[in-house]
Amino acid sequence: MDSLYNVASSQHGLVTRTQLRDQGFHRNRIARWVQTGQLTRIYSKVFALPGSTATIERGLLARVLETGTDATISHTTAAWMWGIAGYEPTPVHVVVSRENRHHHHLPWRVHQFTGLPPGHRRTVRDIPTTSPALTMLHLAQVVGRQRLERAIDNAWSLGLITDTDLEKLDRELAVQGRNGIVAVRDATEERGADWVPPQSNIESRFMQLLGPHLASEFECQVPIEGEQWNARVDFLHRPSRTIIEIQSERYHTSLTDSAADTERRGRLQQAGYRVIEVWDNELFGDPETVMDRVLTAIRSVA
């Protein structure tokens, strides 16, 4: 059994029927170990060794191993693996290079993706997972445009992707006419090489309200320097010298926070900027009023 533990050590305590046979353990011994509790059958081709913990990761890897040797976690499940906000590990999505009849009976979603480019099959926590860039393409196939753009912004902010990664994916797959490639391409072109992604969900919400055309007029996370101070503002509309500060009631309503925000706002105004504070409850509860204030500011003469 020692050799099995060596195999299972990088597989969340799992072994496959093929691996058992490669170690010289055949059908009768495998069946006896299952009967005596020395192995726990997870799926028809996947077993857990004693002492392994039934984690989410173990469950995902078990599905990958059951699906086949080229199977890879994908779509919304891959987004969760990469830590992209708004996604959960289930329902489980797995991608393979070629589907077969076995896949049709599996209780999770198996997608076919022929010609997977080299480098797009990564390993995250010992689990085969599609690359962040390919995950964006897969998301474009199963979620709407706004959710896709939020995921791209989130992955960009986390340092998982850049415009170069998405453009390279476009070059690799556009000739094949992949579903979703146009949506990813459009989102990449709208952002450009100098794009600085929003740092929070409420900032992403503000960008959505602006829309692609108006959002291109704003710079995100811009450093502003005074004589003896410096600040980083959430959004800057440079032509009108208008700063948009996105505030959260959770973090900016204490007396200390209010005093600091007032001092910061005063310095920015003395430096010649117009400062508009937008609160998270407004973004979701009264977006029309938010947009009226922003449009009035950037279209008026300073």
mmCIF file of all heavy atoms in Angstrom, residues 169-201:
data_model
loop_
_atom_site.group_PDB
_atom_site.id
_atom_site.type_symbol
_atom_site.label_atom_id
_atom_site.label_comp_id
_atom_site.label_asym_id
_atom_site.label_seq_id
_atom_site.Cartn_x
_atom_site.Cartn_y
_atom_site.Cartn_z
ATOM 1 N N LEU A 169 -4.812 34.485 -26.997
ATOM 2 C CA LEU A 169 -5.884 33.494 -27.096
ATOM 3 C C LEU A 169 -6.710 33.739 -28.349
ATOM 4 O O LEU A 169 -7.081 32.797 -29.056
ATOM 5 C CB LEU A 169 -6.766 33.558 -25.854
ATOM 6 C CG LEU A 169 -7.899 32.526 -25.793
ATOM 7 C CD1 LEU A 169 -7.342 31.156 -25.423
ATOM 8 C CD2 LEU A 169 -8.959 32.951 -24.771
ATOM 9 N N ASP A 170 -6.976 35.001 -28.641
ATOM 10 C CA ASP A 170 -7.744 35.368 -29.828
ATOM 11 C C ASP A 170 -7.030 34.869 -31.086
ATOM 12 O O ASP A 170 -7.636 34.262 -31.976
ATOM 13 C CB ASP A 170 -7.921 36.885 -29.870
ATOM 14 C CG ASP A 170 -8.914 37.327 -30.935
ATOM 15 O OD1 ASP A 170 -9.449 36.457 -31.653
ATOM 16 O OD2 ASP A 170 -9.149 38.535 -31.062
ATOM 17 N N ARG A 171 -5.711 35.108 -31.164
ATOM 18 C CA ARG A 171 -4.958 34.672 -32.338
ATOM 19 C C ARG A 171 -4.965 33.152 -32.474
ATOM 20 O O ARG A 171 -5.035 32.611 -33.584
ATOM 21 C CB ARG A 171 -3.515 35.169 -32.259
ATOM 22 C CG ARG A 171 -3.356 36.679 -32.404
ATOM 23 C CD ARG A 171 -1.912 37.050 -32.642
ATOM 24 N NE ARG A 171 -1.035 36.618 -31.554
ATOM 25 C CZ ARG A 171 -0.772 37.352 -30.474
ATOM 26 N NH1 ARG A 171 -1.330 38.538 -30.346
ATOM 27 N NH2 ARG A 171 0.040 36.897 -29.548
ATOM 28 N N GLU A 172 -4.890 32.458 -31.347
ATOM 29 C CA GLU A 172 -4.834 30.997 -31.371
ATOM 30 C C GLU A 172 -6.160 30.367 -31.791
ATOM 31 O O GLU A 172 -6.174 29.318 -32.441
ATOM 32 C CB GLU A 172 -4.443 30.463 -29.985
ATOM 33 C CG GLU A 172 -3.016 30.782 -29.583
ATOM 34 C CD GLU A 172 -2.735 30.420 -28.135
ATOM 35 O OE1 GLU A 172 -3.695 30.410 -27.325
ATOM 36 O OE2 GLU A 172 -1.571 30.169 -27.812
ATOM 37 N N LEU A 173 -7.268 31.008 -31.435
ATOM 38 C CA LEU A 173 -8.559 30.342 -31.578
ATOM 39 C C LEU A 173 -9.513 30.999 -32.557
ATOM 40 O O LEU A 173 -10.503 30.384 -32.949
ATOM 41 C CB LEU A 173 -9.249 30.245 -30.215
ATOM 42 C CG LEU A 173 -8.486 29.463 -29.138
ATOM 43 C CD1 LEU A 173 -9.286 29.454 -27.847
ATOM 44 C CD2 LEU A 173 -8.218 28.040 -29.592
ATOM 45 N N ALA A 174 -9.256 32.258 -32.950
ATOM 46 C CA ALA A 174 -10.220 32.967 -33.797
ATOM 47 C C ALA A 174 -10.433 32.252 -35.123
ATOM 48 O O ALA A 174 -11.556 32.176 -35.638
ATOM 49 C CB ALA A 174 -9.749 34.397 -34.041
ATOM 50 N N VAL A 175 -9.370 31.700 -35.689
ATOM 51 C CA VAL A 175 -9.491 31.022 -36.973
ATOM 52 C C VAL A 175 -10.400 29.813 -36.886
ATOM 53 O O VAL A 175 -10.981 29.377 -37.884
ATOM 54 C CB VAL A 175 -8.084 30.612 -37.480
ATOM 55 C CG1 VAL A 175 -7.492 29.494 -36.620
ATOM 56 C CG2 VAL A 175 -8.155 30.181 -38.940
ATOM 57 N N GLN A 176 -10.554 29.272 -35.666
ATOM 58 C CA GLN A 176 -11.418 28.099 -35.487
ATOM 59 C C GLN A 176 -12.875 28.498 -35.233
ATOM 60 O O GLN A 176 -13.734 27.630 -35.102
ATOM 61 C CB GLN A 176 -10.914 27.261 -34.312
ATOM 62 C CG GLN A 176 -9.473 26.794 -34.474
ATOM 63 C CD GLN A 176 -8.988 26.047 -33.252
ATOM 64 O OE1 GLN A 176 -9.762 25.366 -32.570
ATOM 65 N NE2 GLN A 176 -7.708 26.148 -32.948
ATOM 66 N N GLY A 177 -13.134 29.811 -35.122
ATOM 67 C CA GLY A 177 -14.506 30.270 -34.922
ATOM 68 C C GLY A 177 -15.104 29.847 -33.603
ATOM 69 O O GLY A 177 -16.274 29.465 -33.539
ATOM 70 N N ARG A 178 -14.337 29.892 -32.535
ATOM 71 C CA ARG A 178 -14.813 29.431 -31.235
ATOM 72 C C ARG A 178 -15.952 30.298 -30.709
ATOM 73 O O ARG A 178 -15.887 31.531 -30.753
ATOM 74 C CB ARG A 178 -13.679 29.446 -30.222
ATOM 75 C CG ARG A 178 -12.546 28.501 -30.555
ATOM 76 C CD ARG A 178 -12.936 27.039 -30.364
ATOM 77 N NE ARG A 178 -11.803 26.148 -30.597
ATOM 78 C CZ ARG A 178 -11.834 24.839 -30.450
ATOM 79 N NH1 ARG A 178 -12.951 24.248 -30.070
ATOM 80 N NH2 ARG A 178 -10.770 24.105 -30.683
ATOM 81 N N ASN A 179 -16.972 29.673 -30.188
ATOM 82 C CA ASN A 179 -18.081 30.379 -29.560
ATOM 83 C C ASN A 179 -17.560 31.192 -28.375
ATOM 84 O O ASN A 179 -16.867 30.673 -27.515
ATOM 85 C CB ASN A 179 -19.125 29.371 -29.088
ATOM 86 C CG ASN A 179 -20.325 30.034 -28.456
ATOM 87 O OD1 ASN A 179 -20.639 31.169 -28.766
ATOM 88 N ND2 ASN A 179 -20.984 29.320 -27.567
ATOM 89 N N GLY A 180 -17.879 32.472 -28.335
ATOM 90 C CA GLY A 180 -17.463 33.328 -27.231
ATOM 91 C C GLY A 180 -16.251 34.174 -27.523
ATOM 92 O O GLY A 180 -15.979 35.136 -26.806
ATOM 93 N N ILE A 181 -15.508 33.875 -28.591
ATOM 94 C CA ILE A 181 -14.260 34.601 -28.845
ATOM 95 C C ILE A 181 -14.533 36.064 -29.180
ATOM 96 O O ILE A 181 -13.744 36.947 -28.824
ATOM 97 C CB ILE A 181 -13.442 33.912 -29.971
ATOM 98 C CG1 ILE A 181 -11.993 34.406 -29.956
ATOM 99 C CG2 ILE A 181 -14.080 34.127 -31.327
ATOM 100 C CD1 ILE A 181 -11.194 33.971 -28.764
ATOM 101 N N VAL A 182 -15.641 36.356 -29.844
ATOM 102 C CA VAL A 182 -15.951 37.742 -30.201
ATOM 103 C C VAL A 182 -16.236 38.569 -28.950
ATOM 104 O O VAL A 182 -15.774 39.705 -28.826
ATOM 105 C CB VAL A 182 -17.140 37.798 -31.178
ATOM 106 C CG1 VAL A 182 -17.561 39.248 -31.411
ATOM 107 C CG2 VAL A 182 -16.775 37.136 -32.496
ATOM 108 N N ALA A 183 -16.971 37.993 -27.998
ATOM 109 C CA ALA A 183 -17.275 38.721 -26.761
ATOM 110 C C ALA A 183 -16.002 39.024 -25.983
ATOM 111 O O ALA A 183 -15.831 40.114 -25.449
ATOM 112 C CB ALA A 183 -18.248 37.904 -25.901
ATOM 113 N N VAL A 184 -15.081 38.058 -25.913
ATOM 114 C CA VAL A 184 -13.812 38.284 -25.216
ATOM 115 C C VAL A 184 -12.992 39.329 -25.960
ATOM 116 O O VAL A 184 -12.378 40.207 -25.347
ATOM 117 C CB VAL A 184 -13.023 36.969 -25.085
ATOM 118 C CG1 VAL A 184 -11.632 37.225 -24.504
ATOM 119 C CG2 VAL A 184 -13.781 35.983 -24.201
ATOM 120 N N ARG A 185 -12.965 39.258 -27.282
ATOM 121 C CA ARG A 185 -12.208 40.224 -28.084
ATOM 122 C C ARG A 185 -12.738 41.641 -27.874
ATOM 123 O O ARG A 185 -11.969 42.588 -27.680
ATOM 124 C CB ARG A 185 -12.285 39.857 -29.557
ATOM 125 C CG ARG A 185 -11.513 40.818 -30.479
ATOM 126 C CD ARG A 185 -11.821 40.515 -31.930
ATOM 127 N NE ARG A 185 -11.560 39.131 -32.235
ATOM 128 C CZ ARG A 185 -12.248 38.436 -33.149
ATOM 129 N NH1 ARG A 185 -13.260 38.990 -33.795
ATOM 130 N NH2 ARG A 185 -11.940 37.181 -33.385
ATOM 131 N N ASP A 186 -14.058 41.787 -27.885
ATOM 132 C CA ASP A 186 -14.647 43.121 -27.701
ATOM 133 C C ASP A 186 -14.295 43.687 -26.331
ATOM 134 O O ASP A 186 -13.947 44.866 -26.198
ATOM 135 C CB ASP A 186 -16.167 43.048 -27.860
ATOM 136 C CG ASP A 186 -16.598 42.798 -29.299
ATOM 137 O OD1 ASP A 186 -15.749 42.941 -30.204
ATOM 138 O OD2 ASP A 186 -17.776 42.458 -29.511
ATOM 139 N N ALA A 187 -14.393 42.847 -25.301
ATOM 140 C CA ALA A 187 -14.064 43.308 -23.949
ATOM 141 C C ALA A 187 -12.598 43.692 -23.840
ATOM 142 O O ALA A 187 -12.245 44.675 -23.165
ATOM 143 C CB ALA A 187 -14.395 42.219 -22.929
ATOM 144 N N THR A 188 -11.714 42.966 -24.521
ATOM 145 C CA THR A 188 -10.284 43.278 -24.493
ATOM 146 C C THR A 188 -9.998 44.590 -25.194
ATOM 147 O O THR A 188 -9.244 45.433 -24.686
ATOM 148 C CB THR A 188 -9.485 42.147 -25.172
ATOM 149 O OG1 THR A 188 -9.812 40.898 -24.569
ATOM 150 C CG2 THR A 188 -7.987 42.384 -25.027
ATOM 151 N N GLU A 189 -10.617 44.792 -26.351
ATOM 152 C CA GLU A 189 -10.386 46.028 -27.109
ATOM 153 C C GLU A 189 -10.917 47.247 -26.371
ATOM 154 O O GLU A 189 -10.316 48.328 -26.426
ATOM 155 C CB GLU A 189 -11.031 45.906 -28.487
ATOM 156 C CG GLU A 189 -10.324 44.894 -29.393
ATOM 157 C CD GLU A 189 -11.040 44.707 -30.717
ATOM 158 O OE1 GLU A 189 -12.184 45.219 -30.852
ATOM 159 O OE2 GLU A 189 -10.469 44.048 -31.613
ATOM 160 N N GLU A 190 -12.041 47.091 -25.670
ATOM 161 C CA GLU A 190 -12.590 48.208 -24.914
ATOM 162 C C GLU A 190 -11.655 48.646 -23.785
ATOM 163 O O GLU A 190 -11.598 49.817 -23.423
ATOM 164 C CB GLU A 190 -13.951 47.826 -24.320
ATOM 165 C CG GLU A 190 -15.067 47.750 -25.360
ATOM 166 C CD GLU A 190 -16.335 47.156 -24.780
ATOM 167 O OE1 GLU A 190 -16.356 46.887 -23.552
ATOM 168 O OE2 GLU A 190 -17.293 46.956 -25.550
ATOM 169 N N ARG A 191 -10.903 47.694 -23.234
ATOM 170 C CA ARG A 191 -10.023 48.002 -22.116
ATOM 171 C C ARG A 191 -8.656 48.487 -22.579
ATOM 172 O O ARG A 191 -8.161 49.492 -22.092
ATOM 173 C CB ARG A 191 -9.907 46.777 -21.202
ATOM 174 C CG ARG A 191 -11.146 46.621 -20.339
ATOM 175 C CD ARG A 191 -11.459 45.180 -19.993
ATOM 176 N NE ARG A 191 -12.632 45.127 -19.121
ATOM 177 C CZ ARG A 191 -13.880 45.236 -19.567
ATOM 178 N NH1 ARG A 191 -14.128 45.394 -20.841
ATOM 179 N NH2 ARG A 191 -14.898 45.198 -18.716
ATOM 180 N N GLY A 192 -8.034 47.817 -23.495
ATOM 181 C CA GLY A 192 -6.752 48.258 -24.017
ATOM 182 C C GLY A 192 -5.592 47.918 -23.099
ATOM 183 O O GLY A 192 -5.761 47.475 -21.956
ATOM 184 N N ALA A 193 -4.374 48.162 -23.611
ATOM 185 C CA ALA A 193 -3.160 47.754 -22.891
ATOM 186 C C ALA A 193 -2.961 48.524 -21.594
ATOM 187 O O ALA A 193 -2.340 48.016 -20.660
ATOM 188 C CB ALA A 193 -1.948 47.937 -23.799
ATOM 189 N N ASP A 194 -3.451 49.761 -21.519
ATOM 190 C CA ASP A 194 -3.232 50.602 -20.333
ATOM 191 C C ASP A 194 -4.359 50.495 -19.318
ATOM 192 O O ASP A 194 -4.407 51.265 -18.359
ATOM 193 C CB ASP A 194 -3.056 52.072 -20.751
ATOM 194 C CG ASP A 194 -1.835 52.266 -21.623
ATOM 195 O OD1 ASP A 194 -0.842 51.535 -21.415
ATOM 196 O OD2 ASP A 194 -1.879 53.131 -22.522
ATOM 197 N N TRP A 195 -5.261 49.563 -19.527
ATOM 198 C CA TRP A 195 -6.415 49.430 -18.642
ATOM 199 C C TRP A 195 -5.993 49.111 -17.211
ATOM 200 O O TRP A 195 -5.149 48.253 -16.972
ATOM 201 C CB TRP A 195 -7.322 48.325 -19.172
ATOM 202 C CG TRP A 195 -8.428 47.886 -18.271
ATOM 203 C CD1 TRP A 195 -8.491 46.730 -17.576
ATOM 204 C CD2 TRP A 195 -9.644 48.581 -17.994
ATOM 205 N NE1 TRP A 195 -9.674 46.654 -16.878
ATOM 206 C CE2 TRP A 195 -10.397 47.772 -17.114
ATOM 207 C CE3 TRP A 195 -10.162 49.811 -18.402
ATOM 208 C CZ2 TRP A 195 -11.641 48.160 -16.645
ATOM 209 C CZ3 TRP A 195 -11.405 50.181 -17.938
ATOM 210 C CH2 TRP A 195 -12.127 49.364 -17.074
ATOM 211 N N VAL A 196 -6.567 49.844 -16.260
ATOM 212 C CA VAL A 196 -6.399 49.527 -14.849
ATOM 213 C C VAL A 196 -7.751 49.067 -14.337
ATOM 214 O O VAL A 196 -8.698 49.849 -14.300
ATOM 215 C CB VAL A 196 -5.915 50.750 -14.034
ATOM 216 C CG1 VAL A 196 -5.786 50.377 -12.562
ATOM 217 C CG2 VAL A 196 -4.592 51.259 -14.575
ATOM 218 N N PRO A 197 -7.899 47.825 -13.961
ATOM 219 C CA PRO A 197 -9.223 47.296 -13.604
ATOM 220 C C PRO A 197 -9.734 47.864 -12.300
ATOM 221 O O PRO A 197 -8.946 48.247 -11.431
ATOM 222 C CB PRO A 197 -8.971 45.783 -13.467
ATOM 223 C CG PRO A 197 -7.531 45.689 -13.097
ATOM 224 C CD PRO A 197 -6.848 46.814 -13.833
ATOM 225 N N PRO A 198 -11.054 47.930 -12.136
ATOM 226 C CA PRO A 198 -11.619 48.342 -10.854
ATOM 227 C C PRO A 198 -11.167 47.407 -9.746
ATOM 228 O O PRO A 198 -10.956 46.219 -9.965
ATOM 229 C CB PRO A 198 -13.136 48.243 -11.066
ATOM 230 C CG PRO A 198 -13.347 47.972 -12.491
ATOM 231 C CD PRO A 198 -12.067 47.589 -13.118
ATOM 232 N N GLN A 199 -11.033 47.962 -8.540
ATOM 233 C CA GLN A 199 -10.497 47.192 -7.429
ATOM 234 C C GLN A 199 -11.577 46.546 -6.562
ATOM 235 O O GLN A 199 -11.260 45.878 -5.591
ATOM 236 C CB GLN A 199 -9.626 48.105 -6.561
ATOM 237 C CG GLN A 199 -8.444 48.686 -7.309
ATOM 238 C CD GLN A 199 -7.500 47.623 -7.815
ATOM 239 O OE1 GLN A 199 -6.961 46.849 -7.036
ATOM 240 N NE2 GLN A 199 -7.300 47.573 -9.120
ATOM 241 N N SER A 200 -12.822 46.765 -6.857
ATOM 242 C CA SER A 200 -13.879 46.183 -6.035
ATOM 243 C C SER A 200 -15.127 45.983 -6.877
ATOM 244 O O SER A 200 -15.241 46.503 -7.993
ATOM 245 C CB SER A 200 -14.208 47.109 -4.855
ATOM 246 O OG SER A 200 -14.840 48.291 -5.319
ATOM 247 N N ASN A 201 -16.076 45.242 -6.324
ATOM 248 C CA ASN A 201 -17.326 44.990 -7.029
ATOM 249 C C ASN A 201 -18.129 46.266 -7.229
ATOM 250 O O ASN A 201 -18.803 46.431 -8.244
ATOM 251 C CB ASN A 201 -18.158 43.964 -6.265
ATOM 252 C CG ASN A 201 -17.597 42.560 -6.380
ATOM 253 O OD1 ASN A 201 -16.900 42.248 -7.344
ATOM 254 N ND2 ASN A 201 -17.888 41.717 -5.401
#
